[in-house]
Amino acid sequence: MEISAQKIARLRKMLSPAGKRIVVLSHYNPDGDAIGSSLAWCKILEEMGHEVTCVVPNKYPYFLDWIEGIDRIKIFKDDSDGKTAEAIRSAEIICCLDFNTISRMEGLSELILENNTAQKLLIDHHLQPPRNYYDLMFSCPEASSTCYLLCKIIEKLCGTEAIDQPMATALYVGMMTDTGNFTFSNLTPDLYRTIAMLVEKGIDIPRINVEVYNSFTEGRVRLLSYALGPKMQLIENGTVAYIALKEGELRRFGFQQGDSEGFVNYPLSIKNVRMSAMFLQTRRFIRVSLRSRGDVDVNVFARRYFNGGGHRNAAGGKSMVSMEETIDHYKQAVQEFFHPEEAQNA
Ligand code: 5GP
Ligand code: MN
């Protein structure tokens, strides 16, 4: 992954002189990569002398609560005094981290689009960024996480001296969670060199593991067992899986934001399963999560059938109809996706 000197020069120009009003934004249902990259970038910008507001549309999962500085993040959903909205309206620079389509910002989208004087910066690793929206784009789909990409940008912009231990920890959380604890794709030699640099900054990897992966509620563990036991369904001769969880079922297990994180990956631990889906009912719609192995492209699947997108092996989208209709739609989509010839002849 090469970051051009020319782009870094443009970034430096965008960020000077000091004293700019900057908003750093990340996506709806913020995950470890969204939070880690936002916190690290905010700190760098503040050290450069800017006035920075860090915003996410809704609450991050509780297993990220321990990250130093996380309480500075403004949850737009809780913006009762309108201060966060005002910061977005009056921002001179808007930085979008770990997402590229403004529609993923839910209720925040309109506010962002309204501010057409701010310069827009993108730092992200999702596929297919919009063409004409950003003034400067660091869009690297080959980066395994936005945190890794951001690390490379920080290295070039201000050197690794600018990274302290808390910042290194936040960046590591994103790298770890987006790669499934370093088991997914794009695990390049340079990623491990970058991690070595973070280790030199004094990060405590065993502690980070415990905080993120072994700090769940009892309800979450029981919900996982329910999701994989009675709820997991296999179709297509056992090669395609899905799990559907309705609001009432979630309530029974004392569901909290983030509790279902990672559930969709488990069916893929069955040798023959090539694609897995999870449907999670929320008040307004059904959130769709998709995972796959090898060349089964769930980014294409999510775009085609669920108004979403993502990466080749991890994507998501939405469904605005009932759970039953969503499952029917999924089954039909699977049929069409895996047997296009039959669908054409039908
Ligand atoms: P998750 O299943 O963890 O919510 O999402 C997996 C990946 O799918 C995310 O990293 C993101 O790239 C993508 N994704 C999830 N939901 C959406 C969506 O509604 N729209 C788009 N474009 N991408 C999504
Ligand atoms: Mn990410």
Side-chain angles (χ1 to χ4, degrees):
M1 190 180 64
E2 236 348 277
I3 292 163
S4 79
Q6 190 218 357
K7 272 199 181 167
I8 293 293
R10 284 176 60 199
L11 178 59
R12 198 165 276 134
K13 197 168 163 210
M14 187 185 252
L15 297 175
S16 61
K20 297 201 179 188
R21 287 188 306 278
I22 303 183
V23 165
V24 172
L25 295 172
S26 200
H27 58 81
Y28 190 77
N29 285 337
D31 55 11
D33 196 26
I35 296 298
S37 57
S38 295
L39 287 176
W41 188 231
C42 283
K43 212 160 171 193
I44 291 285
L45 294 173
E46 270 169 1
E47 273 162 24
M48 287 178 163
H50 298 293
E51 190 190 308
V52 190
T53 309
C54 190
V55 186
V56 291
N58 64 335
K59 181 84 170 72
Y60 41 82
Y62 61 89
F63 52 79
L64 300 178
D65 280 348
W66 59 277
I67 301 176
E68 197 174 313
I70 198 156
D71 41 6
R72 68 161 303 163
I73 297 181
K74 307 279 185 224
I75 315 288
F76 183 67
K77 241 180 159 176
D78 306 336
D79 184 33
S80 47
D81 57 6
K83 277 196 181 146
T84 304
E86 189 41 42
I88 296 169
R89 271 194 209 101
S90 65
E92 294 165 272
I93 302 175
I94 294 180
C95 309
C96 297
L97 268 59
D98 200 38
F99 73 100
N100 61 30
T101 37
I102 299 297
S103 63
R104 280 205 79 201
M105 297 304 285
E106 298 291 328
L108 258 168
S109 312
E110 283 162 32
L111 205 57
I112 301 165
L113 294 171
E114 243 174 59
N115 184 341
N116 48 25
T117 55
Q119 287 197 290
K120 312 283 187 333
L121 166 70
L122 177 76
I123 301 177
D124 177 54
H125 69 136
H126 292 93
L127 296 163
Q128 294 158 291
R131 281 212 180 151
N132 298 315
Y133 184 69
Y134 296 98
D135 297 286
L136 180 57
M137 293 206 300
F138 292 87
S139 168
C140 297
E142 73 275 23
S144 54
S145 60
T146 296
C147 279
Y148 168 55
L149 169 61
L150 181 62
C151 250
K152 305 312 289 178
I153 295 172
I154 294 172
E155 266 182 53
K156 293 224 163 161
L157 187 69
C158 21
T160 55
E161 314 80 75
I163 300 177
D164 60 10
Q165 198 255 13
M167 201 189 292
T169 300
L171 289 166
Y172 183 81
V173 168
M175 292 180 187
M176 177 183 92
T177 51
D178 255 33
T179 56
N181 212 357
F182 307 103
T183 59
F184 302 157
S185 50
N186 295 332
L187 302 174
T188 59
D190 188 66
L191 172 69
Y192 289 98
R193 279 192 284 272
T194 305
I195 294 165
M197 180 271 290
L198 299 180
V199 173
E200 277 165 357
K201 300 286 177 183
I203 60 169
D204 182 346
I205 292 177
R207 176 185 172 222
I208 298 173
N209 260 286
V210 169
E211 296 281 12
V212 175
Y213 294 123
N214 294 335
S215 299
F216 297 123
T217 59
E218 180 186 340
R220 133 99 193 194
V221 176
R222 294 200 187 279
L223 178 63
L224 174 63
S225 141
Y226 176 69
L228 298 180
K231 298 297 293 190
M232 184 180 73
Q233 303 293 324
L234 294 174
I235 54 176
E236 281 284 303
N237 287 325
T239 62
V240 172
Y242 69 90
I243 298 167
L245 294 169
K246 289 189 173 182
E247 264 191 305
E249 294 173 301
L250 299 173
R251 228 176 292 126
R252 246 169 48 214
F253 292 92
F255 184 82
Q256 294 178 50
Q257 162 76 27
D259 267 351
S260 60
E261 199 73 32
F263 283 15
V264 64
N265 294 307
Y266 285 93
L268 281 176
S269 62
I270 302 169
K271 192 169 182 183
N272 290 333
V273 172
R274 295 193 288 161
M275 180 163 101
S276 166
M278 187 175 67
F279 305 108
L280 195 75
Q281 194 173 47
T282 66
R283 230 171 308 144
R284 291 183 301 124
F285 54 84
I286 292 173
R287 219 159 72 71
V288 181
S289 278
L290 295 154
R291 300 291 184 272
S292 64
R293 64 168 107 212
D295 54 10
V296 175
D297 192 335
V298 284
N299 170 49
V300 170
F301 190 92
R303 278 172 198 274
R304 199 176 289 166
Y305 302 107
F306 287 105
N307 198 20
H311 316 272
R312 189 176 62 171
N313 296 129
K318 267 184 210 168
S319 168
M320 310 305 290
V321 294
S322 73
M323 188 62 93
E324 288 70 26
E325 288 167 301
T326 302
I327 293 170
D328 281 347
H329 176 65
Y330 176 66
K331 286 181 177 166
Q332 266 176 33
V334 164
Q335 182 65 23
E336 197 179 291
F337 195 68
F338 288 101
H339 311 281
E341 353 47 66
E342 284 170 36
Q344 244 167 27
N345 296 339

